[in-house]
PDB file of all heavy atoms in Angstrom:
ATOM      1  N   PHE A 221     -28.167 -24.079  91.460  1.00 94.00           N
ATOM      2  CA  PHE A 221     -27.984 -23.177  92.593  1.00 94.00           C
ATOM      3  C   PHE A 221     -29.045 -22.063  92.575  1.00 94.00           C
ATOM      4  O   PHE A 221     -30.215 -22.349  92.371  1.00 94.00           O
ATOM      5  CB  PHE A 221     -26.558 -22.587  92.588  1.00 94.00           C
ATOM      6  CG  PHE A 221     -25.493 -23.637  92.760  1.00 94.00           C
ATOM      7  CD1 PHE A 221     -24.716 -24.055  91.690  1.00 94.00           C
ATOM      8  CD2 PHE A 221     -25.258 -24.224  94.007  1.00 94.00           C
ATOM      9  CE1 PHE A 221     -23.748 -25.013  91.828  1.00 94.00           C
ATOM     10  CE2 PHE A 221     -24.281 -25.182  94.168  1.00 94.00           C
ATOM     11  CZ  PHE A 221     -23.522 -25.584  93.083  1.00 94.00           C
ATOM     12  N   GLU A 222     -28.625 -20.779  92.777  1.00 94.00           N
ATOM     13  CA  GLU A 222     -29.590 -19.676  92.857  1.00 94.00           C
ATOM     14  C   GLU A 222     -30.388 -19.528  91.560  1.00 94.00           C
ATOM     15  O   GLU A 222     -31.569 -19.169  91.589  1.00 94.00           O
ATOM     16  CB  GLU A 222     -28.880 -18.355  93.163  1.00 94.00           C
ATOM     17  CG  GLU A 222     -28.243 -18.269  94.540  1.00 94.00           C
ATOM     18  CD  GLU A 222     -26.792 -18.716  94.551  1.00 94.00           C
ATOM     19  OE1 GLU A 222     -26.398 -19.511  93.672  1.00 94.00           O
ATOM     20  OE2 GLU A 222     -26.049 -18.269  95.436  1.00 94.00           O
ATOM     21  N   ASP A 223     -29.748 -19.777  90.401  1.00 95.00           N
ATOM     22  CA  ASP A 223     -30.464 -19.704  89.121  1.00 95.00           C
ATOM     23  C   ASP A 223     -31.624 -20.693  89.086  1.00 95.00           C
ATOM     24  O   ASP A 223     -32.727 -20.382  88.624  1.00 95.00           O
ATOM     25  CB  ASP A 223     -29.516 -20.003  87.959  1.00 95.00           C
ATOM     26  CG  ASP A 223     -28.558 -18.849  87.667  1.00 95.00           C
ATOM     27  OD1 ASP A 223     -28.597 -17.846  88.412  1.00 95.00           O
ATOM     28  OD2 ASP A 223     -27.786 -18.954  86.697  1.00 95.00           O
ATOM     29  N   GLY A 224     -31.364 -21.899  89.579  1.00 95.00           N
ATOM     30  CA  GLY A 224     -32.393 -22.931  89.570  1.00 95.00           C
ATOM     31  C   GLY A 224     -33.559 -22.589  90.481  1.00 95.00           C
ATOM     32  O   GLY A 224     -34.731 -22.764  90.119  1.00 95.00           O
ATOM     33  N   ILE A 225     -33.237 -22.051  91.661  1.00 95.00           N
ATOM     34  CA  ILE A 225     -34.292 -21.687  92.612  1.00 95.00           C
ATOM     35  C   ILE A 225     -35.140 -20.557  92.043  1.00 95.00           C
ATOM     36  O   ILE A 225     -36.376 -20.592  92.086  1.00 95.00           O
ATOM     37  CB  ILE A 225     -33.661 -21.275  93.968  1.00 95.00           C
ATOM     38  CG1 ILE A 225     -32.955 -22.484  94.605  1.00 95.00           C
ATOM     39  CG2 ILE A 225     -34.715 -20.714  94.909  1.00 95.00           C
ATOM     40  CD1 ILE A 225     -32.099 -22.133  95.800  1.00 95.00           C
ATOM     41  N   LEU A 226     -34.467 -19.535  91.497  1.00 96.00           N
ATOM     42  CA  LEU A 226     -35.190 -18.383  90.950  1.00 96.00           C
ATOM     43  C   LEU A 226     -36.086 -18.797  89.777  1.00 96.00           C
ATOM     44  O   LEU A 226     -37.254 -18.414  89.699  1.00 96.00           O
ATOM     45  CB  LEU A 226     -34.189 -17.310  90.518  1.00 96.00           C
ATOM     46  CG  LEU A 226     -34.762 -15.960  90.072  1.00 96.00           C
ATOM     47  CD1 LEU A 226     -33.784 -14.831  90.392  1.00 96.00           C
ATOM     48  CD2 LEU A 226     -35.082 -15.927  88.581  1.00 96.00           C
ATOM     49  N   CYS A 227     -35.531 -19.582  88.852  1.00 96.00           N
ATOM     50  CA  CYS A 227     -36.308 -19.964  87.663  1.00 96.00           C
ATOM     51  C   CYS A 227     -37.460 -20.904  88.008  1.00 96.00           C
ATOM     52  O   CYS A 227     -38.509 -20.852  87.362  1.00 96.00           O
ATOM     53  CB  CYS A 227     -35.391 -20.615  86.626  1.00 96.00           C
ATOM     54  SG  CYS A 227     -34.388 -19.417  85.749  1.00 96.00           S
ATOM     55  N   SER A 228     -37.271 -21.741  89.003  1.00 95.00           N
ATOM     56  CA  SER A 228     -38.377 -22.625  89.390  1.00 95.00           C
ATOM     57  C   SER A 228     -39.560 -21.803  89.888  1.00 95.00           C
ATOM     58  O   SER A 228     -40.717 -22.160  89.661  1.00 95.00           O
ATOM     59  CB  SER A 228     -37.924 -23.611  90.471  1.00 95.00           C
ATOM     60  OG  SER A 228     -37.670 -22.940  91.703  1.00 95.00           O
ATOM     61  N   ARG A 229     -39.230 -20.675  90.544  1.00 95.00           N
ATOM     62  CA  ARG A 229     -40.299 -19.808  91.039  1.00 95.00           C
ATOM     63  C   ARG A 229     -40.914 -18.984  89.911  1.00 95.00           C
ATOM     64  O   ARG A 229     -42.135 -18.928  89.762  1.00 95.00           O
ATOM     65  CB  ARG A 229     -39.734 -18.885  92.119  1.00 95.00           C
ATOM     66  CG  ARG A 229     -40.782 -17.960  92.742  1.00 95.00           C
ATOM     67  CD  ARG A 229     -40.189 -17.051  93.805  1.00 95.00           C
ATOM     68  NE  ARG A 229     -39.324 -16.041  93.232  1.00 95.00           N
ATOM     69  CZ  ARG A 229     -38.016 -15.965  93.428  1.00 95.00           C
ATOM     70  NH1 ARG A 229     -37.406 -16.882  94.180  1.00 95.00           N
ATOM     71  NH2 ARG A 229     -37.291 -15.008  92.880  1.00 95.00           N
ATOM     72  N   GLU A 230     -40.077 -18.334  89.100  1.00 95.00           N
ATOM     73  CA  GLU A 230     -40.570 -17.444  88.050  1.00 95.00           C
ATOM     74  C   GLU A 230     -41.266 -18.196  86.928  1.00 95.00           C
ATOM     75  O   GLU A 230     -42.192 -17.686  86.303  1.00 95.00           O
ATOM     76  CB  GLU A 230     -39.414 -16.614  87.468  1.00 95.00           C
ATOM     77  CG  GLU A 230     -38.768 -15.643  88.451  1.00 95.00           C
ATOM     78  CD  GLU A 230     -39.654 -14.441  88.745  1.00 95.00           C
ATOM     79  OE1 GLU A 230     -40.765 -14.362  88.210  1.00 95.00           O
ATOM     80  OE2 GLU A 230     -39.220 -13.573  89.531  1.00 95.00           O
ATOM     81  N   LEU A 231     -40.802 -19.424  86.628  1.00 95.00           N
ATOM     82  CA  LEU A 231     -41.363 -20.187  85.508  1.00 95.00           C
ATOM     83  C   LEU A 231     -42.336 -21.269  85.971  1.00 95.00           C
ATOM     84  O   LEU A 231     -42.848 -22.027  85.153  1.00 95.00           O
ATOM     85  CB  LEU A 231     -40.223 -20.840  84.706  1.00 95.00           C
ATOM     86  CG  LEU A 231     -39.210 -19.873  84.089  1.00 95.00           C
ATOM     87  CD1 LEU A 231     -38.082 -20.655  83.406  1.00 95.00           C
ATOM     88  CD2 LEU A 231     -39.882 -18.950  83.081  1.00 95.00           C
ATOM     89  N   GLU A 232     -42.546 -21.339  87.302  1.00 93.00           N
ATOM     90  CA  GLU A 232     -43.454 -22.335  87.882  1.00 93.00           C
ATOM     91  C   GLU A 232     -43.039 -23.750  87.486  1.00 93.00           C
ATOM     92  O   GLU A 232     -43.859 -24.568  87.045  1.00 93.00           O
ATOM     93  CB  GLU A 232     -44.896 -22.039  87.468  1.00 93.00           C
ATOM     94  CG  GLU A 232     -45.382 -20.671  87.916  1.00 93.00           C
ATOM     95  CD  GLU A 232     -46.797 -20.359  87.455  1.00 93.00           C
ATOM     96  OE1 GLU A 232     -47.437 -21.255  86.873  1.00 93.00           O
ATOM     97  OE2 GLU A 232     -47.257 -19.233  87.672  1.00 93.00           O
ATOM     98  N   LEU A 233     -41.746 -24.027  87.664  1.00 93.00           N
ATOM     99  CA  LEU A 233     -41.191 -25.349  87.385  1.00 93.00           C
ATOM    100  C   LEU A 233     -40.927 -26.087  88.690  1.00 93.00           C
ATOM    101  O   LEU A 233     -40.756 -25.464  89.750  1.00 93.00           O
ATOM    102  CB  LEU A 233     -39.878 -25.223  86.600  1.00 93.00           C
ATOM    103  CG  LEU A 233     -39.949 -24.551  85.228  1.00 93.00           C
ATOM    104  CD1 LEU A 233     -38.547 -24.322  84.678  1.00 93.00           C
ATOM    105  CD2 LEU A 233     -40.757 -25.390  84.253  1.00 93.00           C
ATOM    106  N   THR A 234     -40.859 -27.404  88.607  1.00 93.00           N
ATOM    107  CA  THR A 234     -40.537 -28.201  89.787  1.00 93.00           C
ATOM    108  C   THR A 234     -39.058 -28.047  90.129  1.00 93.00           C
ATOM    109  O   THR A 234     -38.195 -28.204  89.264  1.00 93.00           O
ATOM    110  CB  THR A 234     -40.847 -29.689  89.522  1.00 93.00           C
ATOM    111  OG1 THR A 234     -42.231 -29.814  89.180  1.00 93.00           O
ATOM    112  CG2 THR A 234     -40.543 -30.526  90.755  1.00 93.00           C
ATOM    113  N   LEU A 235     -38.776 -27.710  91.370  1.00 94.00           N
ATOM    114  CA  LEU A 235     -37.383 -27.608  91.823  1.00 94.00           C
ATOM    115  C   LEU A 235     -36.926 -28.992  92.267  1.00 94.00           C
ATOM    116  O   LEU A 235     -37.493 -29.588  93.181  1.00 94.00           O
ATOM    117  CB  LEU A 235     -37.263 -26.610  92.967  1.00 94.00           C
ATOM    118  CG  LEU A 235     -35.841 -26.375  93.497  1.00 94.00           C
ATOM    119  CD1 LEU A 235     -34.974 -25.697  92.443  1.00 94.00           C
ATOM    120  CD2 LEU A 235     -35.869 -25.535  94.775  1.00 94.00           C
ATOM    121  N   THR A 236     -35.914 -29.514  91.585  1.00 94.00           N
ATOM    122  CA  THR A 236     -35.362 -30.823  91.950  1.00 94.00           C
ATOM    123  C   THR A 236     -33.927 -30.606  92.434  1.00 94.00           C
ATOM    124  O   THR A 236     -33.537 -29.500  92.782  1.00 94.00           O
ATOM    125  CB  THR A 236     -35.395 -31.774  90.745  1.00 94.00           C
ATOM    126  OG1 THR A 236     -34.618 -31.215  89.675  1.00 94.00           O
ATOM    127  CG2 THR A 236     -36.811 -31.979  90.256  1.00 94.00           C
TER     128      THR A 236
END
Side-chain angles (χ1 to χ4, degrees):
F221 297 105
E222 293 92 335
D223 286 3
I225 295 170
L226 187 150
C227 284
S228 69
R229 182 180 70 246
E230 295 287 1
L231 300 176
E232 300 178 5
L233 299 172
T234 302
L235 182 66
T236 60

